[in-house]
Amino acid sequence: MSSSKLIGELLIERGTVKAAEVENALLVQASKGGRVGEILVRLGAVSMQVLYAALAEQLGYPLLLANALDEDAMRAGMAKLGTPASWWLDRQVLLWRDDEGLCVASADPLDVDVAEALAGEPHVNALRWHLLLPADAEMWAQRLRASPHSVGADARSLRELAEDAPVVAFVNNTLAQALEARASDIHIEPGERECTLRFRVDGVLHTRSSLGMDRYPAIASRIKLIGGLDIAERRLPQDGRISTRVAGREVDIRISAIPAVHGESLVLRLLPKERGDIGMHRIGMESDHRALFEQWLGWPNGLVLVTGPTGSGKSTTLYSALSHINDGVRKLITVEDPVELRLPGVVQIQTQADIGYTFARALRSILRHDPDVIMVGEIRDRETAEIAIQAALTGHLVLATVHTNDALSAVNRLVDMGIEPYLVAAALRAVMAQRLIRRLCSNCAKPHPEAASLQRRWQVLRDRLPALHDVPDEPAWLAAGGCEICGGTGYRGRVGIYELVTVGAAMQHEIAQGGSSERLLAMADADGRRSMVDDGLIKSARGLSTLDEVLRAASEHGG
């Protein structure tokens, strides 16, 4: 059922834009023309997905997903029409027949030329309109047209391609769709015949669409242009970044381009500046782990490391820790690349390697600013490690991250960087490893088919666990289902699983003597260490996730 309300009114009613933003769009329309909805998208006030959901309500047409269309049906439907298929595809109009008549899908159902062409088609007795997002309509038109590959272009023509309005709109819409899908990364991967667009959602890659390679140069050039990369350079890796407004949200975007066989592979890391509430209560630590971690944060000095691979939530954990101890009494300074989240009351420093302002150089300078707590975004080299350890030994609490598979591998990592074992032993006070596992979608979770075997494993673990609240002796084990809310994955959102190891006097002595990883692990186990896999089993018992998901994120060895 259609609505008589203007699109701006519908968007305001839905709470997706503010009245001031619509007024601004109307002013732009009055001076430069265009449609209000498209202007709102260009201004970054709303995403194309949100706009078209409102248009569907306004026009009374269903909004179709790209994967809901049948290629064979569309090819057959357009072949039987009097107007050539190329004419429809040039206007990005898709047609097919079903039992009730002719179906039409387009991003612009108000196109007068299309309406006249449809009226002139014979044997069209029942016509049903559908809405498609512009990017989806363009993608399908390209696929049905089966265009040949484009040839290489020089920097001048690439810039012209990058500034073409449809290309700008496609990139903007892709960014907006990624944010709405809660994606952390966008991957654009060129192939021999197609370019694949994938989103990483909750740590797992999902293919969004496939595009003809004739579109790839323009899209790649546009992304490189907004990221400050050299659009003519296609032989060397490049990195760039941009801060912009997408779908009404401020976001930092890190862009990386690396040469591959069929063109440059592009990855865009999305870092929204506003991430809601940050705190210890949000990261999913069990009560005993949280109490131990908060005890670490109360120490006056020493080195506390958080370990894990890229994308395991280390930065979020450290931001939560800083928020917890930010009481106005201690001075907190961070050194990061990049600064992913602004924290009030914390001095945050962005390194800039291109001008020589590295982690090590920044650390040297901030030690003269009388900090109590220092956070180092990542210890990457010997120089940074040395300064962080010296700071930990001279009265500062240093929080830092390193890339290792488990907690105690951090000791070997520091030694491999060239730090003497006795210095590692003297400075290191605690290590925490972590991973992120996907949360079960609360709307479609279902009973687990192997609940009996999970219960047996749970009982063994339960007997050696300290008292944990809200964990029943016989949990209702759940498995992933799939619904519209979670996009058919069965999961929505993520929660952390952790392994915490306090480095006591005995372990410090063992580290100083060059003790093996096996020996350190045995000491940690004797001291009550809980592996990440066992911590994940507790999450599964709470109904937050599944053991399959835990094992995917943290193997038995790494757990």
Side-chain angles (χ1 to χ4, degrees):
M1 183 177 180
S2 61
S3 170
S4 60
K5 294 181 181 177
L6 299 175
I7 191 65
E9 294 173 339
L10 284 173
L11 290 169
I12 292 172
E13 279 187 6
R14 287 168 167 245
T16 52
V17 298
K18 299 176 182 176
E21 292 173 321
V22 174
E23 291 174 6
N24 188 27
L26 290 170
L27 291 175
V28 173
Q29 182 189 48
S31 61
K32 297 184 178 181
R35 295 176 178 173
V36 171
E38 293 173 350
I39 294 170
L40 286 168
V41 171
R42 289 204 305 270
L43 294 175
V46 69
S47 70
M48 193 67 78
Q49 180 77 38
V50 171
L51 171 64
Y52 268 69
L55 282 173
E57 179 183 343
Q58 184 189 43
L59 299 173
Y61 299 153
L63 178 62
L64 289 182
L65 298 176
N67 58 12
L69 296 171
D70 185 313
E71 182 173 346
D72 293 337
M74 289 188 288
R75 289 188 183 278
M78 286 188 279
K80 295 179 180 179
L81 294 174
T83 307
S86 59
W87 189 91
W88 301 108
L89 295 178
D90 285 343
R91 288 153 183 81
Q92 296 175 10
V93 177
L94 312 176
L95 303 103
W96 67 97
R97 291 185 181 274
D98 61 13
D99 295 339
E100 299 180 28
L102 186 66
C103 300
V104 187
S106 168
D108 185 8
L110 303 180
D111 189 318
V112 175
D113 292 338
V114 172
E116 291 179 353
L118 286 169
E121 284 288 341
H123 312 300
V124 177
N125 49 11
L127 188 66
R128 287 181 293 125
W129 273 93
H130 303 77
L131 270 180
L132 267 181
L133 291 173
D136 293 341
E138 186 179 1
M139 181 269 290
W140 271 111
Q142 291 283 356
R143 180 180 295 186
L144 294 171
R145 192 182 289 116
S147 301
H149 299 330
S150 62
V151 297
D154 58 17
R156 189 174 191 178
S157 61
L158 284 173
R159 185 174 291 273
E160 291 174 356
L161 286 172
E163 294 175 348
D164 194 32
V167 176
V168 174
F170 176 84
V171 172
N172 291 345
N173 294 341
T174 299
L175 292 173
Q177 289 172 18
L179 281 178
E180 287 183 351
R182 302 176 296 105
S184 59
D185 304 86
I186 301 171
H187 292 245
I188 301 172
E189 301 163 345
E192 185 176 357
R193 294 182 175 85
E194 288 185 329
C195 171
T196 304
L197 177 67
R198 301 200 287 173
F199 291 171
R200 187 179 294 280
V201 180
D202 294 334
V204 177
L205 280 171
H206 300 274
T207 299
R208 188 75 178 190
S209 62
S210 295
L211 314 168
M213 278 300 290
D214 59 314
R215 299 183 61 198
Y216 167 77
I219 295 169
S221 297
R222 177 62 190 172
I223 291 171
K224 292 168 71 176
L225 185 65
I226 65 175
L229 279 61
D230 182 354
I231 61 174
E233 178 56 73
R234 296 185 288 270
R235 300 166 299 171
L236 297 172
Q238 296 188 75
D239 293 294
R241 64 185 59 184
I242 182 177
S243 293
T244 187
R245 191 165 184 258
V246 178
R249 299 171 64 186
E250 297 295 328
V251 61
D252 289 327
I253 304 173
R254 283 191 286 173
I255 301 171
S256 178
I258 57 173
V261 173
H262 299 292
E264 288 175 291
S265 177
L266 300 167
V267 175
L268 289 74
R269 168 64 61 89
L270 307 179
L271 302 168
K273 294 182 179 179
E274 295 181 7
R275 300 195 193 177
D277 188 16
I278 290 288
M280 294 295 296
H281 62 290
R282 295 293 299 274
I283 61 177
M285 278 189 179
E286 296 300 325
S287 56
D288 57 337
H289 273 176
R290 179 173 173 179
L292 181 57
F293 189 49
E294 290 178 356
Q295 178 186 330
W296 295 354
L297 297 177
W299 290 338
N301 55 61
L303 176 63
V304 175
L305 294 178
V306 178
T307 76
T310 300
S312 59
K314 300 185 300 296
S315 295
T316 300
T317 295
L318 288 182
Y319 283 137
S320 299
L322 290 175
S323 296
H324 177 73
I325 62 177
N326 187 15
D327 54 7
V329 176
R330 292 190 278 183
K331 175 147 186 170
L332 315 179
I333 302 182
T334 73
V335 184
E336 306 170 65
D337 181 28
V339 175
E340 297 184 10
L341 185 69
R342 275 63 171 177
L343 295 175
V346 179
V347 178
Q348 295 176 271
I349 298 171
Q350 167 77 57
T351 63
Q352 299 184 61
D354 54 340
I355 61 171
Y357 193 46
T358 61
F359 276 100
R361 188 170 179 181
L363 274 172
R364 285 196 193 94
S365 63
I366 67 175
L367 289 175
R368 295 190 289 270
H369 279 246
D370 189 30
D372 295 294
V373 180
I374 302 168
M375 187 193 99
V376 183
E378 183 184 347
I379 295 180
R380 301 175 178 174
D381 51 52
R382 176 178 178 175
E383 190 177 12
T384 304
E386 286 177 340
I387 300 170
I389 285 176
Q390 289 300 325
L393 292 172
T394 54
H396 306 90
L397 177 62
V398 180
L399 310 177
T401 74
V402 291
H403 285 191
T404 64
N405 286 330
D406 54 40
L408 290 171
S409 293
V411 174
N412 290 336
R413 182 81 179 99
L414 293 175
V415 173
D416 289 344
M417 287 182 187
I419 306 301
E420 293 292 339
Y422 74 90
L423 283 175
V424 176
L428 189 61
R429 301 290 302 277
V431 192
M432 178 173 73
Q434 69 174 77
R435 297 289 190 277
L436 292 176
I437 59 173
R438 293 180 292 174
R439 286 180 180 267
L440 279 169
C441 174
S442 59
N443 186 62
C444 61
K446 58 186 181 181
H448 201 289
E450 299 177 8
S453 62
L454 288 173
Q455 182 59 29
R456 286 193 295 271
R457 180 167 184 169
W458 168 248
Q459 205 57 52
V460 173
L461 175 64
R462 193 73 175 91
D463 292 340
R464 67 175 190 262
L465 281 176
L468 291 171
H469 63 279
D470 298 335
V471 183
D473 289 332
E474 296 187 7
W477 302 98
L478 300 175
C483 64
E484 292 184 2
I485 293 176
C486 61
T489 64
Y491 299 94
R492 183 173 175 82
R494 290 191 287 179
V495 65
I497 55 175
Y498 304 91
E499 171 196 3
L500 278 69
V501 176
T502 301
V503 181
M507 189 175 290
Q508 285 180 322
H509 177 75
E510 191 68 27
I511 292 171
Q513 298 300 313
S516 66
S517 298
E518 291 76 13
R519 174 60 182 155
L520 295 178
L521 187 61
M523 296 177 70
D525 285 341
D527 199 34
R529 178 191 79 102
R530 182 164 73 242
S531 72
M532 284 185 284
V533 171
D534 283 347
D535 196 48
L537 186 59
I538 296 173
K539 302 294 192 299
S540 300
R542 293 192 190 282
L544 296 177
S545 190
T546 66
L547 186 60
D548 292 340
E549 176 64 14
V550 173
L551 295 177
R552 180 193 66 82
S555 68
E556 288 284 1
H557 175 72

